[in-house]
Amino acid sequence: MKSIIFLTVLVASALAGLAQGHITHFCGQAHAHNRLCNHHEGAREEMARAQEELEMFTEDYVASRSGGDVVYIIPVVFHIVHQNGAENISNEQILDCVNILTRDFRKLNADTSLIVEEFVDIAADCDIEFRLATIDPDGNCHTGINRILSPLTYDGSDSDLKDLEYWPRNSYLNVWVCAAIGDGVAGFTYTPGDVAANWAAGEDGIVMRSDYVGSIGTSSVSKSRTMTHEVGHWLNLYHPWGPTNNPGEASNCNTDDLVNDTPNTIGYTSCDLDGASCGSALDNVQNYMDYSYCSRMFTWGQRQRMRAALLSSTAQRNQLWTQANLEETGVIDPPLCAASFTADRRTCCAGETIQFSDFSFHAVTSWDWNFGDGTTLSGSDPAVHKNPLHQYDQPGIYNVSLTVSNGTTSQSATVNAAVFVLAPGALSAPVEEGFENAFPGSIWITNNIDGDETWEITPSASFTGDKSLKLRNYSIDAGGVDELLTGTFDMSGADTVWLSYKWSYANRVDETDDRLRVSVTGDCGNNWSLRKLYKGLTNLPTANPVNSQFTPTSDSQWDGETLVLTNDDWMNDRFRIKFDFTSYGGNNLYIDDINIFASFTTGVREVKPVFLYNVYPNPSSGTMRLELVQLNTEHLVIELYSSTGQLVSRIYDGLMGSGSHTITLPEQSAGLYNLVLRKGNHTAVQKLIFE
């Protein structure tokens, strides 16, 4: 008996009427098989013995039983491994996937009407259903969905992916979802015999690319049977052409899938409904285990083989569907144990709507919302009451509450300051923010998404003045996200907006890739446009790595940037700015001197002259960069003075516009100096240290 490892890929079925292309994916079968065999001495022999025992059990089952009509229910847990990208698929997409599994295995799919006549009579209801677990291995109420932040999302073939989160395989079908698997693979799993040994239990389950899960969200109808295909392998089915991953080869006619009612075939990567590749028998191209894109059935023989796998002790499949396990995993009569909801955004402008989504669990039958502005919504129609849209007409900060019921018990949840409703154009430029006063004040809104450390004023570091804004990232778990947002500015009639800021950051000694993003919006935050991205491995650090709490000690450990914004879509009374930081285990971040100003072509408003600059490096040995921001090209004088106030040198006297300029300082002895910039009646002084 051959030992078979399946890293199988299915470009899944679409309705016959969908005229779309088909891409063949390939598996890393040999590599995966060798990797698993190398986990344990004698693994190859163990796997072969287990598979042979399962085959003998299957033969006895098929010979002695009709299959029965008991419905086997399989508890499922999804582990979503992500890095805050599209691979972090929604709960709805996961539920859609589970529903498709049950639909396909129960022969409830509408496209059974398209099964070719030769196979209509053997298309089987497998009497197997799938449900998300509602109780975790520790007995706690759970959604059946875990979300894990890890770069392993980009290498789903790495066995370490499964170590991130694993629930006992005798109680749950584990499914790991990631962004990529490698080599074009859409999903993979192992047959029961290959993971029967205790040492292989942690490998047991299914790995899926996120864009092949379900039929909605990042996936599509054409990919939605991929999971059906993989579960078939997990329940001991082979491809119709046998234990290889090479469809289309003539030699496949000499191999078999050990199922009597699936004709031998070379295997297909297209939907040839008239194919008879191994003789006169018509190929069962519409089988879920083929690689065609028109699969819509299991056969009766496949049903028997899968049900035999569920009755066998091989890989503990026979423990999954027992009454005791169904109760312990909460897939029968799940308890109502938590009220929970989210909003699609935390801020909006007056007159706009917020989409609320109920994530209470489990078996909710009625909802009672209080939106905090005097409006309530109650009822039992999921289409109306489960995920309501609510319009906020007046500016303010609102608490939102939800009470859910299953008809017997109820649960409630309240989120304080859940929604900030802003008045359009509440702020006006210019703004020169050095964080010397109360914070957040009238300009800023903070969003501490994970409820851990967040933005705070600190007197321990600053670029100018005595204070700056600090995010104690050293104490934040990887994956934490914190946002710093402005209210709404009235930029109506502006042709250019300048945004300048300074920051200070250090990695830890072990490299970390924290992210700082700067975005703007012209629609109050419905859509954000990323204008700058800083990464911990490239352009975010301003100081050398340190494993202790980082605090900048000199101007040389700060950097600055000026963004010039000219998109007409932003020039209205709903202009906002957002700084958001994602932690990947790095060090503290400091922000200072955020300046926002604009030029207006309408003449409606006057804007006071603003003088924004940044000079670095400091200390310096003679050559520096001057980053200058001003509305127009203007006459500028730059002079160097000694610490006692004596003029040392006039460095520049002429016209200068916004941008980055090189300044060459005269040779001076080491010490403290003052760099003075003069423009009209405005003077700025920067202390310089010569090394």
Side-chain angles (χ1 to χ4, degrees), residues 339-389:
S340 177
F341 65 91
T342 63
D344 63 343
R345 52 192 174 126
R346 193 185 178 202
T347 60
C348 70
C349 279
E352 294 182 344
T353 58
I354 296 286
Q355 173 77 67
F356 293 95
S357 298
D358 169 46
F359 288 108
S360 304
F361 47 97
H362 300 279
V364 175
T365 58
S366 66
W367 297 263
D368 185 357
W369 295 88
N370 186 327
F371 299 110
D373 61 349
T375 306
T376 60
L377 178 68
S378 300
S380 56
D381 183 354
V384 176
H385 304 106
K386 179 177 173 61
N387 302 314
L389 277 169

Side-chain angles (χ1 to χ4, degrees), residues 120-135:
V120 169
D121 290 342
I122 62 169
D125 174 359
C126 299
D127 283 314
I128 301 173
E129 298 183 359
F130 303 84
R131 298 181 189 174
L132 278 178
T134 68
I135 298 176

Side-chain angles (χ1 to χ4, degrees), residues 182-403:
D183 298 325
V185 174
F188 72 88
T189 190
Y190 302 105
T191 57
D194 292 321
V195 289
N198 289 336
W199 60 264
E203 295 285 347
D204 198 355
I206 298 171
V207 177
M208 295 288 296
R209 273 179 54 132
S210 57
D211 53 351
Y212 280 78
V213 176
S215 64
I216 62 175
T218 62
S219 187
S220 64
V221 172
S222 65
K223 301 175 182 178
S224 62
R225 262 60 183 267
T226 308
M227 186 71 166
T228 303
H229 179 101
E230 297 304 331
V231 172
H233 285 312
W234 183 78
L235 289 175
N236 204 34
L237 293 186
Y238 299 155
H239 295 129
W241 60 89
T244 76
N245 194 52
N246 302 308
E249 295 186 357
S251 60
N252 288 345
C253 290
N254 301 320
T255 59
D256 189 69
D257 64 350
L258 305 180
V259 178
N260 291 333
D261 59 3
T262 54
N264 282 16
T265 177
I266 63 173
Y268 286 82
T269 57
S270 63
C271 190
D272 183 0
L273 297 180
D274 298 318
S277 58
C278 294
S280 59
L282 190 68
D283 293 317
N284 186 206
V285 176
Q286 293 173 311
N287 196 288
Y288 288 126
M289 302 311 296
D290 209 321
Y291 275 16
S292 70
Y293 62 88
C294 57
S295 56
R296 49 185 53 89
M297 65 169 287
F298 288 115
T299 69
W300 187 261
Q302 288 174 318
R303 165 197 159 98
Q304 289 181 305
R305 186 173 176 84
M306 289 189 286
R307 291 172 72 82
L310 284 172
L311 287 167
S312 169
S313 61
T314 302
Q316 300 176 293
R317 298 286 190 268
N318 64 339
Q319 298 179 35
L320 287 164
W321 48 267
T322 65
Q323 182 70 21
N325 189 58
L326 299 182
E327 293 175 359
E328 289 177 1
T329 57
V331 298
I332 294 178
D333 297 326
L336 177 62
C337 48
S340 177
F341 65 91
T342 63
D344 63 343
R345 52 192 174 126
R346 193 185 178 202
T347 60
C348 70
C349 279
E352 294 182 344
T353 58
I354 296 286
Q355 173 77 67
F356 293 95
S357 298
D358 169 46
F359 288 108
S360 304
F361 47 97
H362 300 279
V364 175
T365 58
S366 66
W367 297 263
D368 185 357
W369 295 88
N370 186 327
F371 299 110
D373 61 349
T375 306
T376 60
L377 178 68
S378 300
S380 56
D381 183 354
V384 176
H385 304 106
K386 179 177 173 61
N387 302 314
L389 277 169
H390 180 65
Q391 178 175 311
Y392 285 91
D393 294 323
Q394 297 298 322
I397 301 174
Y398 298 101
N399 304 332
V400 178
S401 299
L402 170 64
T403 298

